Coordinates of all heavy atoms in Angstrom, one line a residue:
S1 N 0.8 -1.2 0.0 CA 0.0 0.0 0.0 C 0.9 1.3 0.0 O 0.4 2.3 -0.3 CB -0.9 0.0 1.2 OG -0.2 0.0 2.4
Y2 N 2.2 1.1 0.3 CA 3.0 2.3 0.3 C 3.9 2.4 -0.9 O 4.8 3.2 -1.0 CB 3.9 2.3 1.6 CG 3.2 2.5 2.9 CD1 2.8 1.4 3.7 CD2 2.8 3.7 3.2 CE1 2.1 1.6 4.8 CE2 2.0 3.9 4.4 CZ 1.7 2.8 5.2 OH 1.0 3.0 6.3
G3 N 3.7 1.5 -1.8 CA 4.5 1.5 -3.1 C 5.9 1.0 -3.0 O 6.7 1.2 -3.9
V4 N 6.2 0.3 -1.9 CA 7.6 -0.3 -1.8 C 7.7 -1.6 -2.6 O 6.9 -2.5 -2.5 CB 7.8 -0.6 -0.3 CG1 9.2 -1.3 -0.1 CG2 7.8 0.6 0.6
S5 N 8.7 -1.6 -3.5 CA 8.8 -2.8 -4.3 C 10.1 -3.6 -4.0 O 10.2 -4.7 -4.4 CB 8.9 -2.3 -5.8 OG 10.0 -1.5 -6.0
Q6 N 11.0 -3.0 -3.2 CA 12.2 -3.7 -2.9 C 12.7 -3.3 -1.5 O 12.7 -2.1 -1.2 CB 13.3 -3.4 -3.9 CG 14.6 -4.1 -3.6 CD 15.7 -3.8 -4.7 OE1 15.4 -3.4 -5.8 NE2 16.9 -4.1 -4.3
V7 N 13.2 -4.2 -0.7 CA 13.8 -3.9 0.6 C 15.1 -4.6 0.6 O 15.2 -5.8 0.4 CB 12.9 -4.5 1.7 CG1 13.6 -4.3 3.1 CG2 11.5 -3.8 1.7
D8 N 16.2 -3.8 0.7 CA 17.5 -4.3 0.8 C 17.9 -4.9 2.1 O 18.5 -6.0 2.2 CB 18.5 -3.3 0.4 CG 18.4 -2.8 -1.1 OD1 18.1 -3.7 -1.9 OD2 18.6 -1.6 -1.4
L9 N 17.5 -4.2 3.2 CA 17.9 -4.6 4.5 C 16.7 -4.4 5.4 O 16.1 -3.4 5.5 CB 19.1 -3.8 5.1 CG 19.4 -4.0 6.6 CD1 19.9 -5.4 6.8 CD2 20.5 -3.0 7.0
L10 N 16.3 -5.5 6.1 CA 15.3 -5.5 7.1 C 16.0 -5.8 8.4 O 16.4 -6.9 8.7 CB 14.2 -6.5 6.8 CG 13.1 -6.6 7.9 CD1 12.4 -5.3 8.1 CD2 12.1 -7.7 7.5
K11 N 16.1 -4.8 9.3 CA 16.8 -5.0 10.6 C 15.8 -4.8 11.7 O 15.2 -3.8 11.8 CB 18.0 -4.0 10.8 CG 18.7 -4.3 12.1 CD 19.9 -3.3 12.2 CE 20.8 -3.6 13.4 NZ 20.1 -3.7 14.7
L12 N 15.7 -5.9 12.5 CA 14.7 -5.9 13.6 C 15.4 -5.9 14.9 O 16.4 -6.6 15.1 CB 13.8 -7.1 13.5 CG 13.0 -7.2 12.2 CD1 12.2 -8.6 12.1 CD2 12.0 -6.1 12.0
S13 N 14.9 -5.2 15.9 CA 15.3 -5.2 17.2 C 14.1 -4.9 18.1 O 13.9 -3.8 18.5 CB 16.4 -4.2 17.5 OG 16.8 -4.3 18.9
A14 N 13.2 -5.9 18.2 CA 11.9 -5.6 18.8 C 11.7 -6.4 20.1 O 10.5 -6.6 20.5 CB 10.8 -6.0 17.8
V15 N 12.7 -6.7 20.8 CA 12.7 -7.3 22.1 C 11.5 -8.4 22.3 O 10.6 -8.1 23.0 CB 12.6 -6.3 23.2 CG1 12.8 -6.9 24.6 CG2 13.6 -5.2 23.0
G16 N 11.7 -9.5 21.6 CA 10.7 -10.6 21.7 C 9.7 -10.6 20.6 O 8.9 -11.6 20.6
Y17 N 9.6 -9.6 19.8 CA 8.5 -9.5 18.8 C 9.1 -9.7 17.4 O 8.3 -9.6 16.4 CB 7.8 -8.2 18.9 CG 6.9 -8.1 20.1 CD1 7.5 -7.4 21.3 CD2 5.7 -8.6 20.2 CE1 6.7 -7.3 22.4 CE2 4.9 -8.5 21.4 CZ 5.5 -7.9 22.5 OH 4.8 -7.8 23.7
D18 N 10.3 -10.0 17.3 CA 11.0 -10.2 16.0 C 10.3 -11.3 15.1 O 10.0 -11.1 14.0 CB 12.5 -10.5 16.1 CG 13.2 -9.4 16.8 OD1 12.8 -8.9 17.8 OD2 14.3 -9.0 16.2
Q19 N 10.0 -12.4 15.8 CA 9.3 -13.5 15.0 C 7.9 -13.1 14.6 O 7.5 -13.4 13.4 CB 9.2 -14.8 15.9 CG 8.6 -15.9 15.1 CD 8.6 -17.2 15.8 OE1 8.8 -17.3 17.0 NE2 8.2 -18.3 15.1
I20 N 7.2 -12.4 15.4 CA 5.8 -12.0 15.0 C 5.9 -11.0 13.8 O 5.1 -11.1 12.9 CB 5.2 -11.3 16.2 CG1 4.9 -12.3 17.3 CG2 3.9 -10.6 15.8 CD1 4.5 -11.7 18.7
I21 N 6.9 -10.1 13.8 CA 7.1 -9.2 12.7 C 7.5 -10.0 11.4 O 6.9 -9.8 10.4 CB 8.1 -8.1 13.0 CG1 7.6 -7.2 14.2 CG2 8.5 -7.3 11.8 CD1 8.6 -6.3 14.8
L22 N 8.4 -10.9 11.6 CA 8.8 -11.7 10.4 C 7.7 -12.6 9.9 O 7.5 -12.8 8.7 CB 10.0 -12.6 10.8 CG 11.3 -11.8 10.9 CD1 12.4 -12.8 11.5 CD2 11.8 -11.3 9.5
D23 N 6.8 -13.1 10.8 CA 5.7 -13.9 10.3 C 4.7 -13.0 9.5 O 3.9 -13.5 8.7 CB 5.0 -14.5 11.5 CG 5.7 -15.7 12.1 OD1 6.6 -16.2 11.4 OD2 5.4 -16.1 13.2
A24 N 4.7 -11.7 9.8 CA 3.8 -10.8 9.1 C 4.3 -10.4 7.7 O 3.5 -9.8 6.9 CB 3.5 -9.6 10.0
V25 N 5.6 -10.6 7.4 CA 6.1 -10.2 6.1 C 5.6 -11.1 5.0 O 5.5 -12.3 5.1 CB 7.7 -10.3 6.1 CG1 8.3 -10.0 4.8 CG2 8.3 -9.3 7.2
D26 N 5.1 -10.4 4.0 CA 4.6 -11.1 2.8 C 5.7 -11.4 1.9 O 6.1 -10.6 1.0 CB 3.5 -10.3 2.1 CG 2.9 -11.0 0.9 OD1 3.3 -12.1 0.6 OD2 2.0 -10.4 0.3
F27 N 6.4 -12.6 2.1 CA 7.6 -12.9 1.3 C 7.3 -13.2 -0.2 O 8.2 -13.2 -1.0 CB 8.3 -14.1 1.9 CG 9.1 -13.7 3.2 CD1 8.6 -14.0 4.4 CD2 10.3 -13.1 3.1 CE1 9.3 -13.6 5.6 CE2 11.0 -12.8 4.2 CZ 10.5 -13.0 5.5
D28 N 6.0 -13.4 -0.5 CA 5.6 -13.5 -1.9 C 5.7 -12.2 -2.6 O 5.9 -12.1 -3.8 CB 4.2 -14.2 -2.1 CG 4.2 -15.6 -1.6 OD1 5.2 -16.3 -1.8 OD2 3.2 -16.0 -1.1
R29 N 5.4 -11.1 -1.9 CA 5.4 -9.8 -2.5 C 6.8 -9.1 -2.4 O 7.2 -8.5 -3.3 CB 4.3 -8.9 -1.8 CG 4.0 -7.6 -2.5 CD 2.8 -6.9 -1.9 NE 3.1 -6.3 -0.6 CZ 3.8 -5.2 -0.4 NH1 4.3 -4.6 -1.4 NH2 4.0 -4.7 0.8
I30 N 7.4 -9.1 -1.2 CA 8.7 -8.5 -1.0 C 9.6 -9.5 -0.3 O 9.2 -10.0 0.7 CB 8.5 -7.2 -0.2 CG1 7.8 -6.1 -1.0 CG2 9.9 -6.7 0.3 CD1 7.7 -4.8 -0.3
R31 N 10.8 -9.6 -0.8 CA 11.8 -10.5 -0.2 C 13.0 -9.7 0.1 O 13.8 -9.5 -0.8 CB 12.0 -11.7 -1.1 CG 12.7 -12.8 -0.4 CD 12.7 -14.1 -1.1 NE 11.3 -14.5 -1.2 CZ 10.9 -15.8 -1.5 NH1 11.9 -16.7 -1.7 NH2 9.7 -16.1 -1.6
P32 N 13.2 -9.2 1.3 CA 14.4 -8.5 1.6 C 15.7 -9.2 1.3 O 15.7 -10.4 1.4 CB 14.3 -8.3 3.1 CG 12.9 -8.4 3.5 CD 12.4 -9.5 2.5
T33 N 16.7 -8.5 0.8 CA 18.0 -9.1 0.4 C 18.7 -9.6 1.7 O 19.2 -10.7 1.7 CB 18.9 -8.1 -0.3 OG1 18.1 -7.5 -1.4 CG2 20.1 -8.7 -0.7
V34 N 18.6 -8.8 2.8 CA 19.3 -9.2 4.0 C 18.3 -8.9 5.2 O 17.6 -7.9 5.2 CB 20.6 -8.4 4.3 CG1 21.2 -8.8 5.6 CG2 21.6 -8.6 3.1
I35 N 18.2 -9.9 6.1 CA 17.3 -9.7 7.3 C 18.2 -10.0 8.5 O 18.9 -11.0 8.5 CB 16.2 -10.8 7.3 CG1 15.3 -10.7 6.0 CG2 15.3 -10.6 8.5 CD1 14.4 -11.8 5.9
M36 N 18.2 -9.0 9.4 CA 18.9 -9.2 10.7 C 17.9 -9.1 11.8 O 17.1 -8.1 11.9 CB 20.0 -8.1 10.8 CG 20.9 -8.2 12.0 SD 22.2 -7.0 12.0 CE 23.4 -7.7 13.0
F37 N 18.0 -10.0 12.7 CA 17.0 -10.0 13.8 C 17.6 -10.7 15.1 O 18.6 -11.4 15.0 CB 15.7 -10.7 13.5 CG 15.9 -12.2 13.1 CD1 15.6 -13.1 14.1 CD2 16.2 -12.6 11.8 CE1 15.8 -14.5 13.8 CE2 16.3 -13.9 11.5 CZ 16.1 -14.9 12.5
E38 N 17.0 -10.4 16.2 CA 17.4 -11.0 17.5 C 16.7 -12.3 17.7 O 15.6 -12.4 17.5 CB 17.1 -10.1 18.7 CG 17.8 -8.8 18.7 CD 17.3 -7.9 19.8 OE1 16.1 -7.7 20.0 OE2 18.2 -7.5 20.6
Y39 N 17.5 -13.3 18.1 CA 16.9 -14.6 18.4 C 16.9 -14.9 19.9 O 16.4 -15.9 20.4 CB 17.6 -15.8 17.7 CG 19.0 -16.0 18.0 CD1 19.3 -16.9 19.1 CD2 20.0 -15.4 17.4 CE1 20.7 -17.1 19.4 CE2 21.3 -15.6 17.7 CZ 21.6 -16.4 18.7 OH 23.0 -16.7 19.1
K40 N 17.4 -14.0 20.7 CA 17.6 -14.2 22.1 C 16.3 -14.5 22.8 O 16.3 -15.3 23.8 CB 18.2 -12.9 22.7 CG 18.3 -12.8 24.2 CD 18.8 -11.5 24.7 CE 18.9 -11.5 26.2 NZ 19.5 -10.2 26.6
W41 N 15.2 -14.0 22.4 CA 13.9 -14.1 23.1 C 13.1 -15.3 22.5 O 12.0 -15.6 23.0 CB 13.1 -12.9 22.9 CG 13.9 -11.7 23.3 CD1 14.4 -10.7 22.5 CD2 14.2 -11.2 24.7 NE1 15.1 -9.8 23.2 CE2 15.0 -10.1 24.6 CE3 14.0 -11.8 25.9 CZ2 15.5 -9.4 25.7 CZ3 14.5 -11.1 27.0 CH2 15.2 -9.9 26.9
L42 N 13.6 -16.0 21.5 CA 12.9 -17.2 21.0 C 13.2 -18.5 21.7 O 14.4 -18.7 22.2 CB 13.3 -17.4 19.5 CG 13.0 -16.2 18.6 CD1 13.5 -16.5 17.2 CD2 11.5 -15.9 18.5
S43 N 12.2 -19.3 21.8 CA 12.5 -20.7 22.3 C 13.3 -21.4 21.2 O 13.3 -21.0 20.1 CB 11.2 -21.4 22.6 OG 10.6 -21.7 21.4
L44 N 13.9 -22.5 21.6 CA 14.7 -23.3 20.6 C 13.7 -23.8 19.5 O 14.1 -23.8 18.3 CB 15.3 -24.5 21.3 CG 16.6 -24.2 22.1 CD1 17.1 -25.4 22.8 CD2 17.6 -23.5 21.3
K45 N 12.5 -24.2 19.9 CA 11.5 -24.6 18.9 C 11.2 -23.5 17.9 O 11.1 -23.7 16.7 CB 10.3 -25.1 19.6 CG 9.2 -25.6 18.6 CD 8.0 -26.1 19.3 CE 7.0 -26.6 18.2 NZ 5.6 -26.3 18.5
E46 N 10.9 -22.3 18.4 CA 10.6 -21.1 17.6 C 11.8 -20.8 16.7 O 11.6 -20.5 15.5 CB 10.2 -19.9 18.5 CG 8.9 -20.1 19.2 CD 8.7 -19.0 20.2 OE1 9.7 -18.5 20.8 OE2 7.6 -18.6 20.5
L47 N 13.0 -20.8 17.2 CA 14.2 -20.5 16.4 C 14.3 -21.6 15.3 O 14.6 -21.2 14.2 CB 15.4 -20.5 17.3 CG 16.7 -20.3 16.6 CD1 16.7 -18.9 15.9 CD2 17.9 -20.3 17.6
H48 N 14.1 -22.8 15.6 CA 14.3 -23.9 14.6 C 13.2 -23.7 13.5 O 13.6 -23.8 12.3 CB 14.1 -25.2 15.3 CG 14.2 -26.4 14.4 ND1 15.4 -26.8 13.8 CD2 13.2 -27.2 13.9 CE1 15.1 -27.8 13.0 NE2 13.8 -28.1 13.0
E49 N 12.0 -23.4 13.9 CA 10.9 -23.2 12.9 C 11.2 -22.0 12.0 O 11.0 -22.0 10.8 CB 9.6 -23.0 13.6 CG 9.1 -24.3 14.2 CD 7.8 -24.1 15.0 OE1 7.4 -22.9 15.3 OE2 7.3 -25.1 15.5
L50 N 11.7 -20.9 12.6 CA 12.1 -19.7 11.8 C 13.2 -19.9 10.9 O 13.2 -19.5 9.7 CB 12.4 -18.5 12.8 CG 12.5 -17.2 12.2 CD1 11.3 -16.8 11.3 CD2 12.7 -16.1 13.3
I51 N 14.2 -20.7 11.3 CA 15.4 -21.0 10.5 C 14.9 -21.9 9.3 O 15.3 -21.6 8.1 CB 16.5 -21.8 11.3 CG1 17.2 -20.8 12.2 CG2 17.5 -22.4 10.3 CD1 18.1 -21.4 13.2
L52 N 14.1 -22.9 9.5 CA 13.5 -23.7 8.5 C 12.7 -22.9 7.5 O 12.8 -23.1 6.2 CB 12.7 -24.8 9.0 CG 13.4 -25.9 9.8 CD1 12.4 -26.9 10.3 CD2 14.4 -26.6 8.9
K53 N 11.9 -21.9 8.0 CA 11.1 -21.1 7.1 C 12.0 -20.2 6.2 O 11.8 -20.2 5.0 CB 10.2 -20.2 7.9 CG 9.4 -19.2 7.1 CD 8.6 -18.3 8.0 CE 7.9 -17.2 7.1 NZ 6.9 -16.4 8.0
L54 N 13.0 -19.6 6.8 CA 13.9 -18.7 6.0 C 14.8 -19.5 5.0 O 15.0 -19.1 3.9 CB 14.8 -17.8 6.9 CG 14.0 -16.8 7.7 CD1 14.9 -16.1 8.8 CD2 13.4 -15.7 6.8
E55 N 15.3 -20.7 5.4 CA 16.0 -21.5 4.5 C 15.1 -22.0 3.4 O 15.6 -22.0 2.2 CB 16.6 -22.7 5.3 CG 17.8 -22.3 6.1 CD 18.4 -23.5 6.9 OE1 17.7 -24.5 7.1 OE2 19.6 -23.4 7.3
G56 N 13.9 -22.3 3.7 CA 12.9 -22.7 2.6 C 12.7 -21.6 1.6 O 12.3 -21.9 0.5
L57 N 12.8 -20.3 2.1 CA 12.7 -19.2 1.2 C 14.0 -18.9 0.4 O 14.0 -17.9 -0.3 CB 12.2 -18.0 2.0 CG 10.8 -18.1 2.5 CD1 10.5 -17.0 3.6 CD2 9.8 -18.0 1.4
G58 N 15.0 -19.6 0.6 CA 16.3 -19.4 -0.1 C 17.3 -18.6 0.6 O 18.3 -18.1 0.0
Y59 N 17.1 -18.4 1.9 CA 18.1 -17.6 2.7 C 19.2 -18.5 3.3 O 18.9 -19.6 3.6 CB 17.4 -16.8 3.8 CG 16.6 -15.6 3.4 CD1 15.2 -15.8 3.1 CD2 17.2 -14.4 3.2 CE1 14.5 -14.7 2.7 CE2 16.4 -13.3 2.8 CZ 15.1 -13.4 2.5 OH 14.3 -12.4 2.1
V60 N 20.4 -17.9 3.4 CA 21.5 -18.5 4.1 C 21.6 -17.8 5.4 O 21.5 -16.6 5.4 CB 22.8 -18.4 3.3 CG1 23.9 -19.0 4.1 CG2 22.7 -19.2 2.0
L61 N 21.7 -18.5 6.5 CA 21.7 -17.9 7.8 C 23.1 -18.0 8.5 O 23.7 -19.0 8.4 CB 20.6 -18.5 8.7 CG 19.2 -18.1 8.3 CD1 18.6 -19.1 7.4 CD2 18.4 -17.9 9.5
T62 N 23.4 -16.9 9.2 CA 24.7 -16.8 9.9 C 24.4 -16.2 11.2 O 23.8 -15.1 11.3 CB 25.7 -15.9 9.1 OG1 25.8 -16.4 7.8 CG2 27.0 -15.9 9.8
F63 N 24.9 -16.8 12.3 CA 24.9 -16.2 13.6 C 25.9 -15.1 13.7 O 27.0 -15.2 13.2 CB 25.1 -17.3 14.7 CG 24.0 -18.3 14.8 CD1 24.0 -19.4 14.1 CD2 22.9 -18.0 15.7 CE1 22.9 -20.3 14.2 CE2 21.9 -18.9 15.8 CZ 21.9 -20.0 15.0
C64 N 25.4 -14.0 14.3 CA 26.3 -12.8 14.3 C 26.2 -12.2 15.7 O 25.2 -11.7 16.2 CB 25.7 -11.8 13.3 SG 26.6 -10.2 13.2
G65 N 27.3 -12.2 16.4 CA 27.3 -11.7 17.8 C 26.6 -12.7 18.7 O 26.4 -13.8 18.4
K66 N 26.3 -12.2 19.9 CA 25.7 -13.1 20.9 C 24.2 -13.4 20.6 O 23.8 -14.6 20.9 CB 25.7 -12.3 22.2 CG 27.0 -12.3 22.9 CD 26.8 -11.7 24.3 CE 27.8 -12.2 25.3 NZ 27.6 -11.6 26.6
H67 N 23.4 -12.5 20.0 CA 22.0 -12.8 19.9 C 21.4 -12.4 18.6 O 20.2 -12.3 18.5 CB 21.3 -12.0 21.0 CG 21.8 -12.3 22.4 ND1 21.6 -13.5 23.0 CD2 22.5 -11.5 23.2 CE1 22.2 -13.4 24.2 NE2 22.8 -12.3 24.4
N68 N 22.2 -12.2 17.6 CA 21.7 -11.8 16.3 C 21.9 -12.9 15.2 O 22.8 -13.7 15.3 CB 22.3 -10.6 15.8 CG 22.0 -9.4 16.6 OD1 20.8 -9.1 16.9 ND2 23.0 -8.6 17.1
L69 N 20.9 -13.0 14.3 CA 21.0 -13.9 13.2 C 20.8 -13.1 11.9 O 20.0 -12.2 11.9 CB 19.9 -14.9 13.3 CG 19.9 -16.2 12.5 CD1 21.2 -16.9 12.9 CD2 18.8 -17.1 12.8
V70 N 21.7 -13.3 10.9 CA 21.6 -12.6 9.7 C 21.2 -13.6 8.6 O 21.8 -14.7 8.5 CB 22.9 -12.0 9.3 CG1 22.9 -11.3 7.9 CG2 23.3 -10.9 10.4
A71 N 20.2 -13.3 7.8 CA 19.7 -14.1 6.7 C 19.9 -13.3 5.4 O 19.6 -12.2 5.4 CB 18.3 -14.5 6.9
H72 N 20.6 -14.0 4.5 CA 20.8 -13.3 3.2 C 20.4 -14.2 2.0 O 20.5 -15.4 2.1 CB 22.2 -12.7 3.0 CG 23.2 -13.8 3.0 ND1 23.6 -14.4 1.8 CD2 23.9 -14.4 4.0 CE1 24.5 -15.3 2.1 NE2 24.7 -15.4 3.4
Q73 N 19.9 -13.6 1.0 CA 19.5 -14.3 -0.2 C 20.7 -14.9 -0.9 O 21.7 -14.2 -1.1 CB 18.7 -13.5 -1.1 CG 17.3 -13.1 -0.7 CD 16.5 -12.4 -1.7 OE1 16.8 -12.4 -2.9 NE2 15.5 -11.7 -1.3
T74 N 20.6 -16.1 -1.4 CA 21.6 -16.7 -2.2 C 21.5 -16.3 -3.7 O 22.5 -16.4 -4.4 CB 21.6 -18.2 -2.1 OG1 20.4 -18.7 -2.5 CG2 21.9 -18.6 -0.7
Q75 N 20.4 -15.9 -4.1 CA 20.2 -15.6 -5.5 C 20.3 -14.1 -5.9 O 20.1 -13.7 -7.0 CB 18.8 -16.1 -6.0 CG 18.6 -17.6 -5.8 CD 19.6 -18.3 -6.6 OE1 19.9 -18.0 -7.8 NE2 20.2 -19.4 -6.1
H76 N 20.6 -13.2 -4.9 CA 20.6 -11.8 -5.2 C 21.8 -11.4 -6.1 O 23.0 -11.8 -5.8 CB 20.7 -11.0 -3.9 CG 20.7 -9.5 -4.1 ND1 19.6 -8.9 -4.4 CD2 21.7 -8.6 -3.9 CE1 19.9 -7.6 -4.6 NE2 21.2 -7.4 -4.2
T77 N 21.6 -10.7 -7.1 CA 22.7 -10.4 -8.1 C 22.8 -8.9 -8.2 O 23.8 -8.4 -8.8 CB 22.4 -11.0 -9.5 OG1 21.1 -10.5 -9.9 CG2 22.4 -12.5 -9.4
G78 N 21.9 -8.1 -7.7 CA 22.0 -6.6 -7.8 C 22.8 -6.0 -6.7 O 23.4 -6.7 -5.9
Q79 N 22.9 -4.7 -6.7 CA 23.6 -4.0 -5.7 C 22.7 -3.7 -4.6 O 21.5 -3.4 -4.8 CB 24.2 -2.7 -6.3 CG 25.3 -2.9 -7.3 CD 25.8 -1.5 -7.7 OE1 25.1 -0.5 -7.8 NE2 27.1 -1.5 -8.1
I80 N 23.2 -3.6 -3.4 CA 22.5 -3.2 -2.2 C 22.7 -1.7 -2.0 O 23.8 -1.2 -2.0 CB 22.9 -4.0 -0.9 CG1 22.6 -5.5 -1.1 CG2 22.3 -3.4 0.3 CD1 23.1 -6.3 0.0
R81 N 21.6 -1.0 -2.0 CA 21.6 0.5 -1.8 C 21.6 0.8 -0.4 O 20.8 0.3 0.4 CB 20.5 1.1 -2.6 CG 20.6 0.9 -4.1 CD 19.4 1.6 -4.8 NE 18.1 1.1 -4.3 CZ 17.5 0.0 -4.7 NH1 18.1 -0.7 -5.6 NH2 16.3 -0.3 -4.3
V82 N 22.4 1.7 0.1 CA 22.4 2.2 1.5 C 22.0 3.6 1.5 O 22.6 4.4 0.8 CB 23.8 2.0 2.1 CG1 23.8 2.5 3.5 CG2 24.3 0.5 2.0
L83 N 21.0 3.9 2.3 CA 20.6 5.3 2.4 C 21.2 6.0 3.6 O 21.5 5.4 4.6 CB 19.0 5.4 2.6 CG 18.3 4.7 1.4 CD1 16.8 4.7 1.7 CD2 18.5 5.4 0.1

């Protein structure tokens, strides 16, 4: 509804609501190139389900720091724009 057609970086820091926000993303319409979120507040089951979901969408996941996970697309060929 806002006319957004591409998201290069989706960075979440929502203290326990990261999974809820990611579940609300319409990955059929917009697929961020890179997603960074906190997993500290997730149960092991929730983390496992989220990892499987993102991998199923073609993301490669890397743990970053103590509580962050970075997911990036393997098929992205364009440049990432930084504002």
Side-chain angles (χ1 to χ4, degrees):
S1 64
Y2 292 101
V4 175
S5 62
Q6 180 179 341
V7 174
D8 294 323
L9 173 65
L10 175 60
K11 184 178 185 309
L12 302 173
S13 180
V15 188
Y17 293 94
D18 297 50
Q19 182 178 11
I20 293 168
I21 294 167
L22 286 171
D23 286 342
V25 173
D26 182 357
F27 285 99
D28 291 328
R29 191 172 72 77
I30 289 185
R31 195 161 298 195
T33 305
V34 178
I35 303 170
M36 183 177 204
F37 62 95
E38 293 178 307
Y39 65 88
K40 174 181 181 178
W41 309 104
L42 300 177
S43 70
L44 287 178
K45 181 181 182 217
E46 291 169 329
L47 177 59
H48 180 72
E49 290 172 355
L50 190 53
I51 287 171
L52 289 177
K53 175 182 179 175
L54 292 171
E55 286 179 338
L57 291 167
Y59 286 92
V60 174
L61 288 94
T62 305
F63 289 92
C64 179
K66 281 184 153 182
H67 306 291
N68 292 311
L69 198 57
V70 176
H72 63 89
Q73 287 186 19
T74 58
Q75 300 298 321
H76 182 71
T77 58
Q79 292 182 330
I80 295 176
R81 295 179 303 277
V82 178
L83 301 176

